[in-house]
Structure formats: structure tokens, C-alpha cells
Amino acid sequence: MTDIRLTNDPLDINACISAVMTPQAGGIDVFIGTVRDHTKGKTVLWLEFEAYESMAIMEMQKIVASATEQWPLHRLVLHHRTGRLEVGEVPVVIAVSAAHRDAAFAACLYIIDTLKQTVPIWKKEFFEDGEVWVAAHP
Amino acid sequence: MDINILGFGIAREIFGSGQVSLPLGNAATVADMRSALEKQYPRLGQLATYMVAVNNEYAANTRTLQPTDEIAIIPPVSGG
């Protein structure tokens, strides 16, 4: 079972975890991204996430397919949010269940690291004195 | 031929719109499109890097474009 979602609505962490629970699993690994209140010493007021939705879903599907080929996983949830997120809110949740913890940890790390490199989603940070698209400029 | 190009994130702001049209020679490649686009929108060339997607897949610079392709400018991604 895999569940991939890109949504404007708040993510339900508990639902993501429940969705990967199965008697066959010996463990669940979860990554929860949260909006940090500062970057490089500056106070962040809020973030906005924008996605190229059709391609983002396809890239998320590729990552999930690659993870399930590399590790013996039981269930996998990958949810990402778009729109305005306040400090402390959750832009991404990844939950992975597997028979043994090594596979769950490795797959979860692979999924978040790859998502940050390939999925067409962009984050804009809003400060008191302006706004910046993250990673856009050298 | 005229191609339509989608812009996201900072590319959308540089274009001043989510979509722009660009005249290109027939059988133009992604590389041809990049140079024409950067001439028209010099701020695009100042980005750390950017990728081009054709029909929802990352495309190489040698890829030939068709007017029916869905083409998008992908600035450095920053999800998660």
C-alpha cells in the first residue's frame, strides 16, 4: 500500500501513521517536516509552498517506486502540503512500515532526501523586511 | 513555431505570469529555448540553475521541442 498526496489542507500526522500500521510490520519510521521560525539568523514569519502539481505527483510516485524496489517495505505514506504555512505547521509527512527497522529508516531517509532534490515544489520564506525563494540564487 | 512555457516559483515571478509564449525555429531544442528565454528574461540566467521539464519529465538540453509539448521552467526545488 502506498498513498501519495499533494494538498492545500493541513496534514494529519496520526492518520499517516495509522495508515502504515499492519500486523506484518516490525516497525514504523516517520519523518515530519515542520516550519522553522528562523533561517540564517533571521526571523521567519511564514512560508508559502508552490507546486507544479502534475509533475510533482509523478516525481513523488517515482521516489516511492524506487524506495519499494530498494527495500522490503509494507506500507508507505508520502503527503506534502502547498499554500501558506505558519511556523510550527507541517509541510511534509513520510511514514514507512517494514518487517525490520533498517529498511524503514533507510527508506524514510532516502525519500525525504530525494524529494528535496527532484520534486518540483518551491518554498518562499517571508521575513519582516522581505521575501525570498529558497535556493533560487547562488 | 510558438511554444508555451509554464513558470513556477521565482520563474513565474520573473515572467510576471504563470505562462509565456515564445517564438522558436522549427525543431528547436531545449538549449535553443533556454538562450531565447534568457535573452528575453535576463533574470532567469542569474538563477543558481534551472531545469526544463517537457511533458512532466526533466528534459536534456538536446531534446527537440514540439508546439504541443507541455514545457515548464523548474527553478531550484525546495520542497520538504
Side-chain angles (χ1 to χ4, degrees):
Chain A
M1 190 280 313
T2 62
D3 176 18
I4 295 167
R5 208 173 295 178
L6 189 59
T7 173
N8 254 303
D9 300 326
L11 303 185
D12 184 338
I13 297 168
N14 289 326
C16 291
I17 296 171
S18 299
V20 299
M21 285 190 174
T22 160
Q24 299 156 300
I28 293 169
D29 196 58
V30 182
F31 177 79
I32 302 166
T34 53
V35 176
R36 189 173 52 226
D37 68 356
H38 67 278
T39 189
K40 292 171 188 159
K42 284 178 77 173
T43 300
V44 172
L45 302 180
W46 74 88
L47 298 183
E48 278 180 18
F49 286 83
E50 177 176 331
Y52 178 12
E53 288 191 17
S54 55
M55 183 175 170
I57 292 284
M58 284 182 61
E59 289 295 325
M60 287 160 84
Q61 286 168 344
K62 283 184 198 171
I63 295 171
V64 165
S66 170
T68 54
E69 275 169 27
Q70 290 179 72
W71 295 281
L73 308 176
H74 284 304
R75 297 186 180 179
L76 203 164
V77 168
L78 171 54
H79 289 183
H80 202 297
R81 254 188 96 177
T82 52
R84 173 172 167 154
L85 274 80
E86 308 298 329
V87 168
E89 281 197 282
V90 174
V92 62
V93 178
I94 299 165
V96 181
S97 63
H100 302 284
R101 67 183 182 279
D102 302 27
F105 276 119
C108 200
L109 181 62
Y110 167 80
I111 292 165
I112 186 60
D113 284 353
T114 314
L115 178 144
K116 281 175 168 285
Q117 290 166 5
T118 65
V119 179
I121 297 175
W122 299 271
K123 171 167 36 192
K124 195 179 204 181
E125 291 173 328
F126 288 78
F127 304 103
E128 272 159 12
D129 61 350
E131 51 197 63
V132 172
W133 286 105
V134 174
H137 289 104
Chain B
M1 62 174 181
D2 280 349
I3 58 161
N4 292 312
I5 303 168
L6 303 174
F8 293 94
I10 195 166
R12 177 176 50 73
E13 291 186 352
I14 290 171
F15 292 162
S17 164
Q19 186 170 343
V20 292
S21 178
L22 189 73
L24 285 178
N26 287 337
T29 62
V30 167
D32 299 330
M33 186 207 67
R34 280 177 182 264
S35 11
L37 205 56
E38 286 177 31
K39 216 167 275 178
Q40 198 164 336
Y41 302 96
R43 286 175 60 208
L44 206 56
Q46 294 162 8
L47 297 180
T49 176
Y50 66 91
M51 301 287 281
V52 174
V54 178
N55 301 328
N56 290 285
E57 302 261 8
Y58 288 109
N61 282 329
T62 49
R63 163 93 178 235
T64 306
L65 298 173
Q66 309 293 333
T68 50
D69 286 335
E70 180 171 308
I71 300 162
I73 301 303
I74 312 288
V77 301
S78 51

